[in-house]
Amino acid sequence: MNTVTEAGRYLTFTLNGEAYALDIFHVTEILEYRALTVVPMMPDFIRGVINLRGRAVPVIDIAIRFARGSTAIARRTSIIIVHIQESSLAEIADLDSDDRGAADGQDIGILVDSATKVVTLQPGDIEPAPAFGAGIRADYISGMARRDNDFLILLDISHVLSISDMVRLSDLAQRSPSPIESGGVPVEPGSL
């Protein structure tokens, strides 16, 4: 779990009516929603890809990732482009340090109801992530910030969008259980 020790700037956004924030350090840009190209055989939380200056950038619906339904596309729907550093990418690429620019991370779009504003939070504004009760995995949360009479959930975006976690989830989603495992009866080809 990350502990905030100095003031930081966070981009706030809404997702299914709840307020979230992520460290502005990871955000590269905010886009108005645009049509996505759907890629077959992807897990549900990967809604598609966008062409971002000649690069295919996957767009993740974190509402689905948090098991909270899917994000409904509306007038203020936004795609927040974040850059995720993951050491496993560099290991897989096995490139010299001069060539690691593209291999040391991945740009990923996250689909949100609306990106609202950038706020500065002091360490005293932030409480540790709760062990329970936030409705999402505790390791996805870096803290909770008081805001008016409510809390702002600070996401640890490197965990939420962990490429290795998403690959594992994708592998699980791609594996369909056999008829016997799912409680069904095997059907012989041509018997229907």
Side-chain angles (χ1 to χ4, degrees):
M1 174 174 23
N2 294 342
T3 304
V4 179
T5 57
E6 57 187 52
R9 293 174 47 135
Y10 293 83
L11 174 65
T12 62
F13 61 92
T14 58
L15 188 65
N16 289 344
E18 292 187 41
Y20 294 88
L22 58 95
D23 191 325
I24 198 76
F25 173 77
H26 295 288
V27 177
T28 58
E29 60 190 296
I30 303 166
L31 306 171
E32 288 182 15
Y33 178 80
R34 58 176 83 166
L36 305 175
T37 302
V38 177
V39 180
M41 305 295 291
M42 286 287 120
D44 290 344
F45 60 84
I46 300 177
R47 294 278 293 258
V49 297
I50 58 170
N51 181 343
L52 188 62
R53 292 181 288 284
R55 293 176 296 126
V57 174
V59 177
I60 307 299
D61 188 338
I62 58 175
I64 295 173
R65 185 110 163 91
F66 293 165
R68 301 205 179 231
S70 63
T71 301
I73 306 305
R75 187 178 62 81
R76 298 197 57 203
T77 303
S78 302
I79 300 171
I80 301 171
I81 305 297
V82 296
H83 187 77
I84 302 300
Q85 301 282 339
E86 187 141 355
S87 59
S88 61
L89 287 177
E91 293 166 9
I92 291 169
D94 195 27
L95 299 172
D96 295 332
S97 59
D98 293 342
D99 296 332
R100 279 194 196 229
D104 69 351
Q106 167 77 41
D107 285 338
I108 298 176
I110 58 173
L111 192 61
V112 299
D113 292 337
S114 66
T116 45
K117 62 183 174 180
V118 175
V119 296
T120 301
L121 298 174
Q122 302 298 325
D125 298 333
I126 301 171
E127 297 182 14
F132 61 91
I136 59 176
R137 285 178 31 183
D139 62 332
Y140 288 177
I141 302 172
S142 63
M144 305 285 283
R146 284 198 186 280
R147 191 181 74 149
D148 302 326
N149 295 327
D150 208 355
F151 280 100
L152 183 62
I153 301 170
L154 306 180
L155 295 179
D156 183 343
I157 202 69
S158 62
H159 279 100
V160 172
L161 299 179
S162 167
I163 294 167
S164 56
D165 274 1
M166 287 193 288
V167 167
R168 249 190 321 278
L169 285 172
S170 176
D171 288 346
L172 288 173
Q174 299 299 328
R175 269 196 273 146
S176 59
S178 73
I180 294 172
E181 291 173 327
S182 61
V185 178
V187 177
E188 294 296 320
S191 64
L192 294 177

